[in-house]
Amino acid sequence: MANVYEALAEIVGKEYVSDQPEELFFYSRDPGTMDPKKPDYVVVPQSTEEVQAIVHLANREKIPVVPLGGGLVLSGLSRPLKGGIVLDMKRMNKIIEVNETSRYAVIEAGCAHGVFQAYLKQHYPNLKYSSPDAPPSATIAGNILIHGSGHMSQATGFHSEMLNGLEVVLPTGEVCKIGSCSTTPYWFSRAPLPDLAGLFVGWFGTTGVITKLGIKLYPNPAKKDMMIFLNDNPDHMTDILYKLTGTEMLEDLNVSCSALPAHMEGLQLLLIYITANSDEELELKRKFIRATLRSYVDSKDGGFMFIPGFAKGRFLEVPLREMTKYADTKKGGGFEYVGAIMPLELFSRAYRAGIEIAAKYNTPYSLAVRVIGRGHCMMFAYAYAFNRADDTDRLNAQRALHETNRRVLEMGGIPWKAEEPAQKLILEHMDPHTVQLMNKVRSALDPNGIMNPGNWEVK
Ligand SMILES: Cc1cc2nc3c(=O)[nH]c(=O)nc-3n(C[C@H](O)[C@H](O)[C@H](O)COP(=O)(O)OP(=O)(O)OC[C@H]3O[C@@H](n4cnc5c(N)ncnc54)[C@H](O)[C@@H]3O)c2cc1C
């Protein structure tokens, strides 16, 4: 395939294509438990036209194309399961426009969270968007496309709900615009047109390459605070979350449950995030939240925790650096979690299952919840850190993840950003007509089957 290498070099320039073992080694794996899969080429394009030319070439040569953002999805979704070209989008990192009045931004698909956050802080401190706790090199596109969630998800829902529009290179090479930008110069919304974004969001790079996206921005109130409520009875948690989301006062609501450090075992820590435009408004919200959970405090079933100033600063960091530290507790950099999207009423079942599975696989349990929307659902994370240099440890984590995925589906949840074996489990549970529809969509968009083949195979 020497001619493919030459053709790619012609498109992006020799320094931005590689078939060398060092690069292929890195692009064949991610920090999760899945086995490495080697690409044949890694290409780093700089423009939509270059992406288009690569996709045309891949169609001619019938070779796979796998888009890659920050490569931090953890479930191996941008490992090239059938070889081919990994399309690293990181050079397409421009911030094209910020429309302050209509509160949206247009960015290229390789733009990382860290870069965009720093840009807003410097140029538009009155605006923000919802970002995940992923390391800052994760891309906004990669996160939105997988239905991620983050620091404003209680108020604004899944990150895919921030999406106003897309520019996408279809698997057959045409460049297509989705949302208001298809019809006007503005990227203000996906409505009132047919919502074609659904052909690309939640498909994990199997239906096209996103090159630009428009995202909603939100006011950034000057005051921020957080409160911690401690609870030790998982059966109370659904009601507590229901009550708190009912206040409509929170931006983010998390629950953290972990066997380590030992004094936290058996406790559920609720992290409640609020913002306001003045100290009075902040105090009013704090009072209201305390009143909402008063019955639990009065019955001594729970209580608010005093948080010293230095610790509060850590909790208010975006992204939470403590989270990244946890991801490396075993050293050796291995980390993966099942993020189960499920209704709030499953909290106690999901919690008990997590403790049981962790005990079975001889690992300290680490569970975390992020409430999405006004309690419309939650992302229930079962995290497994492992040492990547120790294959026994990696395979143990892989088995624990597989069992967790199975249990989540049995309970009535759906594993989020599922790794390849979990995709098969989900498809087994799915209505067969839905699977057929997915197959029709994918086959119609990608007749040569070049986009991220092996992932979400619905044929
Ligand atoms: C410590 C830690 C904390 C985390 N916390 C959170 C959290 O709070 N919330 C959360 O949502 N996630 C979290 N994550 C998970 C993950 O890192 C993020 O979701 C991240 O934003 C994924 O983005 P990425 O750029 O790394 O995507 P990638 O891994 O590069 O890609 C993800 C998927 O999207 C596809 N894709 C990427 N770019 C394109 C494109 N341009 N066109 C078409 N398809 C594309 C890829 O093929 C792949 O299937 C966390 C991860 C870690 C390690």
Side-chain angles (χ1 to χ4, degrees), residues 85-126:
I85 302 168
V86 168
L87 197 65
D88 183 339
M89 299 298 288
K90 284 188 203 68
R91 278 174 79 216
M92 294 186 61
N93 59 2
K94 288 192 207 72
I95 297 160
I96 299 165
E97 180 194 354
V98 171
N99 184 323
E100 199 171 1
T101 316
S102 292
R103 293 201 184 101
Y104 68 75
V106 184
I107 55 174
E108 285 188 325
C111 182
H113 284 284
V115 171
F116 190 56
Q117 274 163 21
Y119 181 85
L120 285 184
K121 198 170 167 190
Q122 191 179 351
H123 300 285
Y124 298 95
N126 54 330

Coordinates of all heavy atoms in Angstrom, one line a residue, residues 85-126:
I85 N -6.9 3.9 8.3 CA -6.4 5.2 8.6 C -7.0 5.7 9.9 O -8.2 5.8 10.0 CB -6.7 6.2 7.5 CG1 -6.2 5.7 6.1 CG2 -6.3 7.6 7.8 CD1 -6.8 6.5 5.0
V86 N -6.1 6.1 10.9 CA -6.6 6.9 12.0 C -6.5 8.4 11.6 O -5.4 8.8 11.2 CB -5.9 6.6 13.3 CG1 -6.2 7.6 14.4 CG2 -6.2 5.2 13.8
L87 N -7.6 9.1 11.7 CA -7.7 10.5 11.3 C -7.7 11.3 12.6 O -8.7 11.5 13.2 CB -9.0 10.6 10.6 CG -9.3 11.8 9.7 CD1 -8.3 11.8 8.5 CD2 -10.7 11.8 9.2
D88 N -6.5 11.8 12.9 CA -6.3 12.6 14.1 C -6.7 14.0 13.9 O -6.1 14.7 13.0 CB -4.8 12.4 14.6 CG -4.6 13.2 15.9 OD1 -5.4 14.1 16.3 OD2 -3.6 12.8 16.6
M89 N -7.7 14.5 14.5 CA -8.3 15.8 14.2 C -7.7 17.0 15.0 O -8.1 18.1 14.8 CB -9.8 15.8 14.6 CG -10.6 14.7 13.8 SD -10.6 15.0 12.0 CE -11.7 16.5 11.9
K90 N -6.6 16.7 15.7 CA -6.1 17.7 16.6 C -5.6 19.0 16.0 O -5.5 20.1 16.6 CB -5.0 17.1 17.5 CG -5.5 16.3 18.6 CD -4.5 15.8 19.6 CE -4.8 14.6 20.3 NZ -4.9 13.4 19.4
R91 N -5.2 18.9 14.7 CA -4.7 20.2 14.1 C -5.9 21.1 13.6 O -5.7 22.2 13.4 CB -3.9 19.9 12.8 CG -2.4 19.5 13.2 CD -1.7 19.1 11.9 NE -1.3 20.2 11.1 CZ -1.3 20.1 9.7 NH1 -1.7 19.0 9.1 NH2 -0.9 21.1 9.0
M92 N -7.1 20.5 13.6 CA -8.2 21.3 13.2 C -8.8 21.9 14.5 O -9.8 21.4 15.0 CB -9.2 20.5 12.5 CG -8.7 20.1 11.1 SD -9.9 19.2 10.1 CE -11.1 20.4 9.8
N93 N -8.1 22.9 15.1 CA -8.4 23.3 16.5 C -8.8 24.8 16.6 O -8.7 25.4 17.6 CB -7.2 23.0 17.4 CG -6.0 23.7 16.9 OD1 -6.0 24.4 16.0 ND2 -4.9 23.4 17.6
K94 N -9.3 25.3 15.4 CA -9.6 26.8 15.5 C -10.9 27.1 16.2 O -11.8 26.3 16.1 CB -9.7 27.3 14.1 CG -8.3 27.4 13.4 CD -8.5 28.3 12.1 CE -7.5 27.9 11.0 NZ -7.7 26.6 10.4
I95 N -10.9 28.3 16.9 CA -12.2 28.8 17.4 C -12.6 29.8 16.3 O -11.9 30.8 16.1 CB -11.9 29.5 18.7 CG1 -11.5 28.4 19.7 CG2 -13.2 30.2 19.2 CD1 -10.8 28.9 21.0
I96 N -13.6 29.5 15.6 CA -14.0 30.3 14.4 C -14.8 31.5 14.7 O -14.5 32.6 14.2 CB -14.8 29.4 13.4 CG1 -13.9 28.2 13.0 CG2 -15.2 30.2 12.1 CD1 -14.6 27.1 12.3
E97 N -15.7 31.4 15.7 CA -16.6 32.5 16.0 C -17.2 32.4 17.4 O -17.5 31.2 17.8 CB -17.7 32.5 14.9 CG -18.7 33.6 15.1 CD -20.0 33.4 14.3 OE1 -20.1 32.5 13.5 OE2 -20.9 34.2 14.5
V98 N -17.3 33.5 18.1 CA -18.1 33.5 19.3 C -19.2 34.6 19.0 O -18.9 35.7 18.8 CB -17.3 33.8 20.6 CG1 -18.3 34.0 21.7 CG2 -16.3 32.7 20.9
N99 N -20.4 34.2 19.0 CA -21.5 35.1 18.9 C -22.0 35.4 20.3 O -22.7 34.6 20.9 CB -22.7 34.6 18.0 CG -23.7 35.6 17.8 OD1 -24.1 36.3 18.7 ND2 -24.3 35.6 16.6
E100 N -21.6 36.6 20.9 CA -21.9 36.9 22.3 C -23.4 37.1 22.5 O -23.9 36.7 23.5 CB -21.1 38.1 22.7 CG -20.9 38.3 24.1 CD -20.0 39.4 24.5 OE1 -19.4 40.0 23.6 OE2 -19.8 39.6 25.7
T101 N -24.0 37.7 21.6 CA -25.4 38.1 21.8 C -26.3 36.9 21.7 O -27.2 36.7 22.5 CB -25.9 39.1 20.6 OG1 -24.9 40.0 20.5 CG2 -27.2 39.7 21.0
S102 N -26.1 36.0 20.7 CA -26.9 34.8 20.6 C -26.3 33.6 21.4 O -26.8 32.5 21.3 CB -27.1 34.4 19.1 OG -27.9 35.4 18.5
R103 N -25.2 33.9 22.1 CA -24.6 32.9 23.0 C -24.4 31.5 22.3 O -24.9 30.5 22.7 CB -25.5 32.7 24.2 CG -25.5 33.9 25.1 CD -25.9 33.6 26.5 NE -26.0 34.8 27.3 CZ -27.2 35.3 27.6 NH1 -28.3 34.8 27.2 NH2 -27.2 36.4 28.4
Y104 N -23.5 31.6 21.2 CA -23.0 30.3 20.7 C -21.6 30.5 20.2 O -21.2 31.7 20.0 CB -24.0 29.8 19.6 CG -24.0 30.6 18.3 CD1 -23.0 30.5 17.4 CD2 -25.1 31.4 18.0 CE1 -23.1 31.2 16.2 CE2 -25.2 32.1 16.8 CZ -24.2 32.0 15.9 OH -24.2 32.7 14.7
A105 N -20.9 29.4 20.0 CA -19.6 29.4 19.4 C -19.5 28.5 18.2 O -20.2 27.4 18.2 CB -18.5 29.1 20.4
V106 N -18.7 28.7 17.3 CA -18.4 27.8 16.2 C -16.9 27.4 16.3 O -16.1 28.3 16.3 CB -18.7 28.4 14.8 CG1 -18.5 27.4 13.7 CG2 -20.1 29.0 14.8
I107 N -16.7 26.1 16.4 CA -15.3 25.7 16.5 C -15.0 24.5 15.6 O -15.9 23.9 15.1 CB -15.0 25.2 18.0 CG1 -16.1 24.1 18.3 CG2 -15.1 26.3 19.0 CD1 -15.8 23.4 19.7
E108 N -13.7 24.3 15.4 CA -13.3 23.1 14.6 C -13.3 21.9 15.5 O -13.2 22.0 16.7 CB -11.9 23.3 14.0 CG -12.0 24.3 12.8 CD -10.6 24.3 12.0 OE1 -9.6 24.2 12.6 OE2 -10.7 24.5 10.8
A109 N -13.4 20.7 14.8 CA -13.7 19.5 15.6 C -12.5 19.1 16.5 O -12.7 18.3 17.4 CB -14.1 18.4 14.7
G110 N -11.3 19.6 16.2 CA -10.1 19.2 17.0 C -9.9 20.1 18.2 O -8.9 19.9 19.0
C111 N -10.8 21.1 18.4 CA -10.6 22.0 19.5 C -10.8 21.4 20.9 O -11.8 20.7 21.1 CB -11.6 23.2 19.3 SG -11.4 24.5 20.6
A112 N -9.8 21.5 21.7 CA -9.8 20.8 23.0 C -10.5 21.6 24.1 O -10.5 22.9 24.0 CB -8.4 20.5 23.5
H113 N -11.1 21.0 25.1 CA -11.7 21.7 26.2 C -10.8 22.7 26.8 O -11.2 23.9 27.1 CB -12.2 20.7 27.3 CG -13.4 20.0 26.8 ND1 -14.7 20.5 26.8 CD2 -13.6 18.7 26.4 CE1 -15.5 19.6 26.4 NE2 -14.9 18.5 26.1
G114 N -9.6 22.3 27.1 CA -8.6 23.2 27.8 C -8.4 24.5 27.0 O -8.4 25.6 27.6
V115 N -8.3 24.4 25.7 CA -8.0 25.5 24.8 C -9.3 26.5 24.8 O -9.1 27.7 25.0 CB -7.8 25.0 23.4 CG1 -7.7 26.2 22.4 CG2 -6.5 24.2 23.3
F116 N -10.4 25.9 24.7 CA -11.7 26.7 24.6 C -12.0 27.4 25.9 O -12.4 28.6 25.9 CB -12.8 25.8 24.1 CG -14.0 26.6 23.7 CD1 -13.9 27.7 22.8 CD2 -15.3 26.4 24.3 CE1 -15.0 28.4 22.4 CE2 -16.4 27.2 24.0 CZ -16.3 28.2 23.0
Q117 N -11.8 26.6 27.0 CA -12.0 27.2 28.3 C -11.1 28.4 28.5 O -11.5 29.5 29.0 CB -11.8 26.2 29.4 CG -13.0 25.4 29.7 CD -12.7 24.1 30.5 OE1 -11.7 24.0 31.1 NE2 -13.5 23.1 30.4
A118 N -9.8 28.3 28.2 CA -8.8 29.4 28.4 C -9.2 30.6 27.5 O -9.1 31.7 27.9 CB -7.4 28.9 28.0
Y119 N -9.7 30.3 26.3 CA -10.1 31.4 25.4 C -11.3 32.1 25.9 O -11.3 33.4 25.9 CB -10.5 30.7 24.0 CG -10.9 31.7 23.0 CD1 -9.9 32.4 22.2 CD2 -12.2 32.0 22.7 CE1 -10.3 33.4 21.2 CE2 -12.6 33.0 21.8 CZ -11.6 33.6 21.0 OH -12.0 34.5 20.1
L120 N -12.3 31.4 26.4 CA -13.5 32.1 27.0 C -13.1 32.9 28.2 O -13.5 34.1 28.4 CB -14.6 31.1 27.4 CG -15.4 30.4 26.2 CD1 -16.5 29.5 26.8 CD2 -16.0 31.5 25.3
K121 N -12.2 32.3 29.0 CA -11.8 33.0 30.3 C -11.2 34.4 29.9 O -11.4 35.4 30.5 CB -10.9 32.2 31.0 CG -10.7 32.5 32.4 CD -9.9 31.4 33.2 CE -9.5 31.9 34.5 NZ -8.5 31.1 35.1
Q122 N -10.3 34.3 28.8 CA -9.6 35.6 28.5 C -10.5 36.6 27.7 O -10.5 37.8 28.0 CB -8.4 35.2 27.6 CG -7.5 36.3 27.4 CD -6.3 36.0 26.5 OE1 -6.1 34.8 26.2 NE2 -5.5 36.9 26.1
H123 N -11.3 36.1 26.8 CA -12.0 37.0 25.9 C -13.5 37.2 26.2 O -14.1 38.2 25.9 CB -11.9 36.5 24.4 CG -10.5 36.4 24.0 ND1 -9.8 37.6 23.6 CD2 -9.7 35.4 23.8 CE1 -8.6 37.2 23.3 NE2 -8.5 35.9 23.4
Y124 N -14.1 36.2 26.8 CA -15.6 36.3 27.1 C -15.9 35.7 28.5 O -16.6 34.7 28.7 CB -16.4 35.5 26.1 CG -16.3 36.0 24.7 CD1 -15.3 35.4 23.8 CD2 -17.1 37.0 24.2 CE1 -15.2 35.9 22.5 CE2 -16.9 37.5 22.9 CZ -16.0 37.0 22.1 OH -15.8 37.4 20.8
P125 N -15.3 36.3 29.6 CA -15.5 35.8 30.9 C -16.9 35.7 31.4 O -17.2 35.0 32.3 CB -14.7 36.7 31.8 CG -14.5 38.0 31.0 CD -14.6 37.6 29.6
N126 N -17.8 36.4 30.7 CA -19.3 36.3 31.0 C -20.0 35.1 30.4 O -21.2 34.9 30.6 CB -20.0 37.6 30.6 CG -19.7 37.9 29.1 OD1 -18.7 37.5 28.6 ND2 -20.7 38.5 28.5

